Amino acid sequence: MYTIRKTLLEQDEALIVGLFHENKNQQPIYQLLNEQFDDGLDSYVKSGDISNNYKSVSKILTYGKITVKRVYFLGLGKKKELTQTKLKQAFGKLFQLLQKDGLTQAAIAYDSFSFGETKEELTAKAMTEAMVMATYQFPHYKTSNYQPRKVIDDLVLITEEEKEEDLLQSLTVGEAFGKGANTSRYLVNLPANLLTANDMAEFSRTLAEEHGFEEEILEKEDLQNLGMGALLAVNQGSKEPPKMIVLKYQGRTEWTDVIGLIGKGITYDTGGYSIKSKTGMPGMKGDMGGAAAVLGAMDIIGRLKPAQNVVAVIPSTDNMISGGAFKPDDVITSLSGKTIEVLNTDAEGRLALADGLTYAKHHRAQKLIDVATLTGGMVTALGEWMTGAMTNDPGFFAQLNKASDEAGEPMWLLPYNEDYQAQVRKSSVADLNNSPTRKAHPIMGGAFVAEFAEGTPWVHIDIAGTSVVESDHDLGPKGPTGVMARTLANYILKA
């Protein structure tokens, strides 16, 4: 629940005040509090008990001097150095402390967070986006009496601003972005025995019902009839049938200018006969991180209803081993009609994406964005701090890259040209091969996928390094990050 008012009330559990380095620009709320504390705040600042350093959180008890019991001061550093991303991280640290302290309600001295030329509404969006993400908790399977931590469910903005409707809308937008990221996290957290391709389809169907999407779930027989030989090949070793999942959101009168989001939905990846090592296998439940990002983005889109047309396509299966599994040296035929020599069964995600991109174009997508935990080489190249990307349309990438910067999910563009195209086309028995060399491995994966985008504007996003982090951070716990859900949604909202 969000409320906007001008004064504190007795039921407010805490007051939160932002502090910048620039003392001359301190907001009236600080001066008012300082008077009520008999100039005590100034002495706290001088002694370092209250800090205005970036991301510092200081707490004081009020002992009845004002109506709330405690005041939290959030250090914001220098105004000129503060960005939306840094503001979200500071808010994240704050809300994690409030959660640890067991608070469920708080009042924000909103005007004390105003900085630079930033629109007031963007600060409100950053606030709720950070609050929802930073306090995320995965519902685990422990049988102990563990109780989840409380979260803030009543947030009050204390402000002199007269833009109540705009601020409330911005709070709602931030909440939608945070919930979409958490949707992605939830899916990646699920173990593979509880998230099969069928479970993914059922989750997508529920999402469609919640937001009014048109949905289409293609079964194995449908894939066979259509000739989706690439996705079917990956599925050959599994007892679980594959699915091609489609969600359509129509935000315009005509089904034109359609943006296609294609997410790799490999619910578990053993590597097939090109089997992974025993240390490489754990964590492969997250090989559907691309699908999770797309579904998280669709969750945001469904909540905010932008005036755009979007089709989400998720080719989903696991990659298992059996007497019927596909093998190195197999030749398969994709939905596009292109034949593929399989040299590595652990390069299965690009095969699933191949049919996914073709099917997105079948639904008249005129721009394509695929998201996948595609290559271990991307982890080596960029680590967990930057997502890799490739494109056949620099202008299209520039727009998406701007959306990623605003979301705080930076991307780095890898090269793509005829030299890389030649490698994936190098086969004596088929049109393409799925793994020509370990050299430039992340680029080889993207170059293969590009063969199915053909002339359609396309961006490939490899989140193998950024989909999971190894330690807790300001916007959430260790584990799945929900990366790219917010970037995709941000791009859709502004396209």
Side-chain angles (χ1 to χ4, degrees):
M1 180 176 70
Y2 306 123
T3 308
I4 297 177
R5 46 181 155 85
K6 296 183 184 295
T7 59
L8 288 170
L9 298 178
E10 288 186 5
Q11 66 263 30
D12 294 328
E13 294 183 18
L15 174 66
I16 298 161
V17 179
L19 287 183
F20 288 95
H21 272 188
E22 294 84 350
N23 289 330
K24 63 181 180 179
N25 291 324
Q26 282 173 347
Q27 298 295 328
I29 184 65
Y30 176 88
Q31 301 297 345
L32 177 61
L33 288 171
N34 194 39
E35 291 174 10
Q36 292 174 321
F37 278 84
D38 301 321
D39 295 332
L41 295 190
D42 283 343
S43 62
Y44 284 147
V45 171
K46 289 178 182 178
S47 65
D49 293 309
I50 295 177
S51 173
N52 53 18
N53 291 331
Y54 173 62
K55 282 203 305 187
S56 64
V57 182
S58 313
K59 178 176 69 173
I60 63 169
L61 299 178
T62 65
Y63 297 109
K65 292 183 181 291
I66 59 175
T67 57
V68 298
K69 293 181 179 179
R70 55 185 75 84
V71 180
Y72 293 81
F73 294 93
L74 178 60
L76 300 171
K78 296 179 180 179
K79 285 193 175 186
K80 65 180 181 180
E81 296 178 358
L82 191 62
T83 64
Q84 284 293 308
T85 296
K86 292 179 71 174
L87 180 61
K88 289 175 194 175
Q89 292 169 343
F91 274 133
K93 185 174 181 181
L94 167 74
F95 284 115
Q96 286 173 351
L97 179 59
L98 298 184
Q99 183 183 50
K100 183 178 179 181
D101 287 351
L103 271 65
T104 59
Q105 193 271 355
I108 307 274
Y110 187 71
D111 298 338
S112 66
F113 289 90
S114 177
F115 69 99
E117 308 224 342
T118 302
K119 292 182 179 179
E120 300 295 334
E121 299 87 72
L122 286 179
T123 300
K125 175 183 177 294
M127 184 184 302
T128 48
E129 184 176 332
M131 180 179 72
V132 174
M133 291 185 66
T135 58
Y136 170 75
Q137 302 168 83
F138 178 68
H140 60 71
Y141 307 102
K142 293 184 178 181
T143 57
S144 66
N145 293 324
Y146 168 83
Q147 294 295 322
R149 289 179 172 177
K150 296 178 180 179
V151 296
I152 298 287
D153 57 14
D154 184 2
L155 192 66
V156 179
L157 267 59
I158 307 295
T159 178
E160 295 297 324
E161 288 285 333
E162 299 295 338
K163 304 176 182 178
E164 181 172 339
E165 187 173 332
D166 291 340
L167 289 178
L168 285 173
Q169 175 63 20
S170 297
L171 292 169
T172 301
V173 170
E175 180 183 53
F177 270 72
K179 286 185 173 180
N182 287 350
T183 292
S184 299
R185 286 168 160 171
Y186 168 76
L187 290 169
V188 177
N189 260 317
L190 288 172
N193 62 323
L194 299 181
L195 186 68
T196 62
N198 185 65
D199 294 321
M200 180 102 68
E202 288 301 316
F203 183 90
S204 301
R205 184 174 283 118
T206 300
L207 201 64
E209 292 172 355
E210 179 180 352
H211 296 308
F213 301 146
E214 180 182 338
E215 52 94 3
E216 176 187 31
I217 309 294
L218 298 184
E219 305 292 342
K220 185 173 184 177
E221 184 177 354
D222 300 318
L223 308 187
Q224 292 169 335
N225 291 338
L226 288 168
M228 293 192 184
L231 177 58
L232 286 166
V234 180
N235 178 253
Q236 279 178 209
S238 178
K239 291 183 178 180
E240 294 286 342
K243 307 285 182 180
M244 182 67 82
I245 303 163
V246 180
L247 298 179
K248 294 173 71 173
Y249 167 77
Q250 185 166 346
R252 297 179 175 177
T253 304
E254 302 294 330
W255 187 247
T256 57
D257 299 319
V258 181
I259 300 169
L261 307 179
I262 303 92
K264 173 186 170 184
I266 303 299
T267 58
Y268 198 83
D269 181 20
T270 66
Y273 277 110
S274 305
I275 193 167
K276 295 180 183 295
S277 67
K278 66 179 182 180
T279 57
M281 204 86 71
M284 283 300 104
K285 68 177 185 177
D287 209 21
M288 36 59 66
V294 168
L295 289 172
M298 292 302 289
D299 190 16
I300 299 170
I301 290 164
R303 292 173 188 276
L304 300 181
K305 305 289 191 291
Q308 303 292 344
N309 292 331
V310 184
V311 59
V313 178
I314 296 171
S316 187
T317 179
D318 49 11
N319 182 22
M320 305 297 285
I321 299 174
S322 75
F326 77 137
K327 309 167 293 298
D329 294 334
D330 282 1
V331 175
I332 59 179
T333 303
S334 66
L335 176 61
S336 71
K338 293 179 180 179
T339 55
I340 303 165
E341 180 184 11
V342 177
L343 297 181
N344 180 1
T345 63
D346 195 22
E348 86 299 329
R350 65 199 69 177
L351 300 177
L353 289 173
D355 283 349
L357 263 69
T358 303
Y359 202 59
K361 290 192 290 183
H362 170 81
H363 281 281
R364 295 163 56 188
Q366 292 168 285
K367 290 183 177 179
L368 302 170
I369 305 171
D370 77 79
V371 190
T373 50
L374 202 67
T375 61
M378 191 61 75
V379 185
T380 303
L382 299 178
E384 64 181 40
W385 309 280
M386 184 81 67
T387 292
M390 291 172 62
T391 189
N392 63 4
D393 188 321
F396 180 23
F397 173 77
Q399 294 173 332
L400 186 61
N401 193 38
K402 182 179 179 181
S404 77
D405 284 342
E406 291 173 351
E409 299 177 327
M411 296 191 294
W412 187 267
L413 185 63
L414 299 174
Y416 170 63
N417 59 28
E418 293 178 355
D419 294 327
Y420 300 111
Q421 292 171 352
Q423 295 302 309
V424 297
R425 295 171 183 173
K426 191 183 296 182
S427 172
S428 59
V429 298
D431 299 323
L432 305 168
N433 78 79
N434 80 325
S435 186
T437 175
R438 290 198 62 79
K439 296 177 182 178
H441 189 225
I443 300 175
M444 291 302 141
F448 180 89
V449 177
E451 295 294 312
F452 300 88
E454 298 174 313
T456 305
W458 158 83
V459 175
H460 163 66
I461 303 175
D462 190 338
I463 60 172
T466 53
S467 64
V468 175
V469 292
E470 296 178 351
S471 57
D472 295 345
H473 55 100
D474 294 326
L475 290 179
K478 67 179 181 179
T481 60
V483 70
M484 288 297 132
R486 293 177 296 149
T487 290
L488 295 176
N490 195 33
Y491 169 75
I492 297 295
L493 264 65
K494 296 183 177 182

